[in-house]
Amino acid sequence: MGVGWCSFESSEMFASFLASTPLLEESWRLCDRANASLGQAFVIEQVGSRVYVAFSGVQYLIQGLDPSFGNLVSLDSVSEDFLAPLHYRNEGEEPVMVHAGLLHLFLSSYPTFKTQMSTIREKSKSIVITGHSIGGGTASLAALWLLSLLQSESSSLSVLCITFGSPLLGNESLSRALARERWGGNFYHAVSKHDLMPRLLFAPLASITSQLHCLLQFWHLSMQSPQYRQLADQLNSGVAPQIFDNVLAYLGWLTQAGGSLKSLCSPFGNFFFCSEEGAICVENAASVIKMMHLMLVTSSPICSIEDHLKYGDYVGKISLQFLNKTNFMQGDLPKSSYEAGVALALQSAGMLNQEPIASPAKDCLKMARQMGLTPSLNCAKLAIKLSKINPYRAEIEWYKACCDSSDDQLGYYDSFKLRRASKRDSKVNMNRHKLAQFWDHVIRMLDNNQLPHDFHRHRKWVNGSQFYMLLVEPLDIAEYYRTRKHHVKGHYIDHGRERRYKIFDSWWKNRKVTDEENSQRSRFASATQDTCFWAKVEQARDRLDNVRSEHDPRKRAALWDSIDRFEMYARGLVERKEVSIDVLAKNSSYTLWTEDYKRLKSQMRQLPPPFPSLMDVEVVPFLDDNK
């Protein structure tokens, strides 16, 4: 049921699809019923093999306005298992955060919802989760929970979430996480032209706190009774203009920044903008923000308050939008199908002949098309660049094979570390830098949102980055210790490791592991599987030297404990054949360290034990916890 990326050119198709199915009408009918069902968090109705679950938009206000209504809280504050697929994040990214009030509301109904879902899933092929107003935000959380559950079970059950006038749910990290999981197409948010609620949380809560409670109470009463005109007039002269002006100002600020500024919340999924003339569908977050601003510019405080209650009218009119879809051709014909698509979209949004916003709206729709395509095109171009740098990698592989078979029996790592000024070594060092430049460029593109959000899950890039790291990081470590940087900056793992390697580590650890990868090795690996192995060898050598010069018994005992743990760790790698043959070369750093370790250990055993019990000393950590 979910639909992927859509540009303005396909907005008419998506609007047509939804208008031609009972999805919108049935969803709104259930939302209306849920709002009228006092005391119930959600209502359920089955239509054929499809089940509709509608969350109440007034239940939150019945329970009382929580002081944390507009705050965001991290999913980590709930548990690691709650929406588990969304917990992953790249280095430097904020954790996924959601609306505290909506999270509290969903968790209060979670036990009942979970029980109901267990029964429903056995009887249906598809589930539509819906909600109006605050109920829409709760519905989004419910859909995310169900999608997470179905992913863990590899279920084929179809899930679609349709909201009406829902506030935004979470921060930009949430939007990224949904894009990585490719769940954006499971969410459709109907937003009417003037409705303030979907735009409310673009503004910082501090700017609207004093008026927010009154506004929500008004919407609550209006849903329960048609006698709200007098209340609306009161709001028009007091609360509404203040909130309206603040939200409009912040939306304008975000629009001028291209949607790149960190607002309180960020859009995700597909936004179905409704007007009297029809509807259009937009997904790109920056375009969504701009459309919300342009539509609100044509509104007024009282319209923006009342429009929140008119989704039933909009749903009824959407199906009529295509009967008059060619009216815009009364003047000059569009020059191309591209221009026709723009004009149709503007007409559906009710903005075709509205100046001065028609031109900015046209630019916004074109931007949505360009920004939607760019990440995929960039990814394709990167694949071409990757193929062009493969010769550099191949030359380093050849160099490794020569080192491992050399008569000096130093192996790959030590040959590069002890290298002299030869043409072959210089070429390998140059290739090392060229490969680093390419992968740093990939990381910069990710940081700038120029690649698909699920880029790190593409097997091509996960495997490619891992292969690069296994081959090249030992050379980086060798260069680090060859130039004696550890005497200035400290050891490599904590003070010299490049950010790209840390990011690639997280990609590799979060990949889907195949049964073949778990099988036992019958021969040594082509590259040592712990890419920081040689840095740990260097650190162990340093600590072995420190043992000889350390006179404090407690510190010596702690050093020995760390050294012993590394020896056990390294021996385990060798026994499992997770190291390359260069590790066991006769004159490698590891082989020489092992001989030195055994010799010193034997000498220490012949002396009276001067150390306190290891249980009484502070253990010095050695191994990288991420390895």
Side-chain angles (χ1 to χ4, degrees):
M1 294 170 78
V3 185
W5 179 86
C6 59
S7 71
F8 79 90
E9 289 179 290
S10 56
S11 63
E12 295 293 301
M13 179 184 69
F14 282 98
S16 177
F17 167 73
L18 284 179
S20 65
T21 70
L23 290 171
L24 279 176
E25 291 185 353
E26 289 295 323
S27 295
W28 176 252
R29 181 177 63 81
L30 261 291
C31 287
D32 226 7
R33 179 180 151 194
N35 287 340
S37 302
L38 296 180
Q40 286 186 266
F42 58 87
V43 296
I44 299 175
E45 184 174 307
Q46 183 157 354
V47 180
S49 62
R50 180 179 298 138
V51 171
Y52 290 84
V53 182
F55 281 83
S56 169
V58 300
Q59 189 66 21
Y60 187 88
L61 295 167
I62 294 172
Q63 295 180 7
L65 188 66
D66 193 290
S68 65
F69 174 81
N71 296 335
L72 295 182
V73 294
S74 171
L75 290 183
D76 298 336
S77 65
V78 182
S79 75
E80 293 183 0
D81 296 331
F82 182 69
L83 306 185
L86 304 185
H87 284 257
Y88 169 84
R89 64 179 184 270
N90 288 322
E91 183 192 8
E93 274 189 358
E94 291 184 350
V96 170
M97 304 184 76
V98 297
H99 187 295
L102 295 174
L103 179 61
H104 171 76
L105 183 58
F106 172 69
L107 292 178
S108 67
S109 61
Y110 172 67
T112 306
F113 178 72
K114 181 180 180 181
T115 302
Q116 295 277 7
M117 284 300 103
S118 297
T119 304
I120 289 173
R121 288 164 53 206
E122 298 175 358
K123 302 178 180 179
S124 60
K125 295 180 179 179
S126 62
I127 297 176
V128 177
I129 301 179
T130 185
H132 172 228
S133 189
I134 293 173
T138 316
S140 293
L141 276 171
L144 288 175
W145 174 84
L146 187 55
L147 286 167
S148 299
L149 177 65
L150 296 176
Q151 184 185 87
S152 66
E153 298 177 351
S154 300
S155 172
S156 60
L157 182 67
S158 178
V159 178
L160 180 67
C161 180
I162 300 176
T163 71
F164 300 90
S166 170
L168 298 177
L169 178 61
N171 62 352
E172 187 177 10
S173 293
L174 175 64
S175 303
R176 286 173 173 268
L178 264 69
R180 283 195 288 260
E181 297 299 328
R182 301 188 180 184
W183 289 348
N186 295 81
F187 292 85
Y188 280 84
H189 307 289
V191 174
S192 62
K193 190 172 183 179
H194 309 296
D195 186 5
L196 194 60
M197 175 62 95
R199 300 162 168 90
L200 201 59
L201 293 182
F202 279 120
L205 184 64
S207 67
I208 58 175
T209 299
S210 59
Q211 303 91 17
L212 187 59
H213 181 82
C214 181
L215 178 63
L216 294 175
Q217 288 294 342
F218 161 70
W219 274 327
H220 172 207
L221 293 172
S222 300
M223 291 177 197
Q224 298 300 311
S225 170
Q227 306 300 320
Y228 65 86
R229 176 61 61 184
Q230 186 176 355
L231 288 172
D233 291 340
Q234 293 174 6
L235 286 165
N236 188 33
S237 60
V239 173
Q242 297 177 46
I243 296 183
F244 179 86
D245 291 344
N246 277 325
V247 172
L248 187 60
Y250 277 100
L251 271 172
W253 182 42
L254 286 169
T255 298
Q256 291 176 3
S260 61
L261 294 180
K262 304 289 184 183
S263 60
L264 182 63
C265 292
S266 179
F268 68 84
N270 302 280
F271 279 74
F272 201 65
F273 288 101
C274 309
S275 73
E276 294 289 337
E277 288 77 18
I280 62 170
C281 183
V282 179
E283 182 193 34
N284 175 265
S287 299
V288 168
I289 293 172
K290 191 166 185 177
M291 287 297 292
M292 284 194 172
H293 176 247
L294 290 173
M295 286 183 160
L296 198 64
V297 165
T298 65
S299 183
S300 66
I302 190 62
C303 287
S304 65
I305 299 297
E306 293 183 351
D307 215 39
H308 185 59
L309 308 172
K310 294 183 177 179
Y311 282 93
D313 296 338
Y314 286 120
V315 168
K317 293 176 180 178
I318 285 175
S319 60
L320 301 177
Q321 67 171 301
F322 303 102
L323 296 178
N324 301 311
K325 68 179 180 180
T326 57
N327 286 349
F328 74 92
M329 292 184 180
Q330 293 175 357
D332 294 336
L333 292 175
K335 297 179 181 179
S336 65
S337 59
Y338 175 85
E339 293 294 335
V342 173
L344 282 171
L346 288 175
Q347 184 190 39
S348 296
M351 304 168 72
L352 181 61
N353 299 312
Q354 288 194 21
E355 295 295 345
I357 65 169
S359 294
K362 182 177 181 180
D363 293 339
C364 174
L365 295 176
K366 291 181 178 181
M367 178 183 69
R369 175 177 184 261
Q370 294 165 356
M371 295 184 70
L373 287 173
T374 297
S376 297
L377 289 176
N378 286 342
C379 189
K381 291 177 182 178
L382 270 185
I384 297 174
K385 291 181 180 179
L386 178 63
S387 65
K388 291 181 178 180
I389 66 168
N390 279 338
Y392 305 143
R393 190 182 71 184
E395 288 181 7
I396 296 179
E397 291 180 57
W398 171 79
Y399 173 80
K400 182 181 186 303
C402 291
C403 292
D404 291 347
S405 61
S406 175
D407 292 338
D408 59 19
Q409 299 188 56
L410 284 171
Y412 179 49
Y413 172 78
D414 287 283
S415 293
F416 191 74
K417 180 184 174 184
L418 302 174
R419 73 186 186 276
R420 297 180 180 180
S422 70
K423 184 178 293 187
R424 184 187 70 168
D425 292 332
S426 297
K427 185 68 177 294
V428 167
N429 194 39
M430 182 180 66
N431 290 347
R432 177 177 71 92
H433 286 295
K434 288 180 178 179
L435 290 173
Q437 289 173 0
F438 170 79
W439 287 105
D440 282 341
H441 176 62
V442 171
I443 298 301
R444 284 194 298 272
M445 293 185 72
L446 271 177
D447 290 340
N448 295 326
N449 297 325
Q450 294 175 316
L451 294 173
H453 291 300
D454 62 345
F455 178 85
H456 70 287
R457 296 203 173 166
H458 294 194
R459 184 175 294 276
K460 177 186 183 70
W461 296 104
V462 173
N463 292 341
S465 62
Q466 178 67 5
F467 192 88
Y468 157 74
M469 189 162 60
L470 290 170
L471 184 66
V472 177
E473 188 165 19
L475 301 184
D476 286 4
I477 297 169
E479 183 67 10
Y480 190 82
Y481 285 94
R482 177 178 185 269
T483 55
R484 306 179 70 81
K485 288 183 180 178
H486 61 295
H487 289 310
V488 179
K489 299 172 64 175
H491 282 289
Y492 173 86
I493 293 176
D494 293 327
H495 305 288
R497 197 176 192 217
E498 295 290 345
R499 176 172 175 254
R500 61 178 173 273
Y501 293 132
K502 299 174 184 178
I503 292 174
F504 297 158
D505 263 347
S506 68
W507 292 3
W508 186 251
K509 289 175 181 175
N510 287 280
R511 77 194 189 286
K512 291 184 178 179
V513 180
T514 63
D515 293 336
E516 184 178 348
E517 291 181 68
N518 288 324
S519 60
Q520 190 173 359
R521 293 180 180 274
S522 59
R523 59 183 180 178
F524 286 108
S526 59
T528 300
Q529 298 303 288
D530 181 353
T531 61
C532 284
F533 175 79
W534 290 109
K536 295 172 184 177
V537 171
E538 297 286 359
Q539 202 163 349
R541 290 178 64 180
D542 191 41
R543 287 184 174 171
L544 206 56
D545 291 338
N546 291 339
V547 164
R548 293 186 174 96
S549 59
E550 182 58 62
H551 299 293
D552 186 325
R554 292 175 62 86
K555 291 182 179 179
R556 290 181 70 183
L559 285 169
W560 267 116
D561 178 77
S562 177
I563 293 168
D564 286 340
R565 286 187 292 115
F566 170 71
E567 191 278 333
M568 290 178 60
Y569 169 74
R571 182 156 34 90
L573 289 179
V574 173
E575 290 172 354
R576 295 191 299 273
K577 293 183 170 57
E578 293 178 3
V579 297
S580 172
I581 57 172
D582 67 311
V583 170
L584 303 177
K586 182 179 178 180
N587 297 316
S588 75
S589 293
Y590 173 70
T591 300
L592 297 178
W593 177 86
T594 302
E595 293 172 356
D596 194 18
Y597 164 78
K598 291 178 180 178
R599 184 166 50 251
L600 186 58
K601 194 79 169 178
S602 176
Q603 293 172 3
M604 300 306 296
R605 285 173 181 164
Q606 297 174 16
L607 299 175
F611 314 123
S613 169
L614 290 181
M615 296 298 292
D616 299 326
V617 301
E618 180 181 358
V619 174
V620 179
F622 183 84
L623 297 178
D624 179 3
D625 290 336
N626 293 324
K627 285 288 177 183

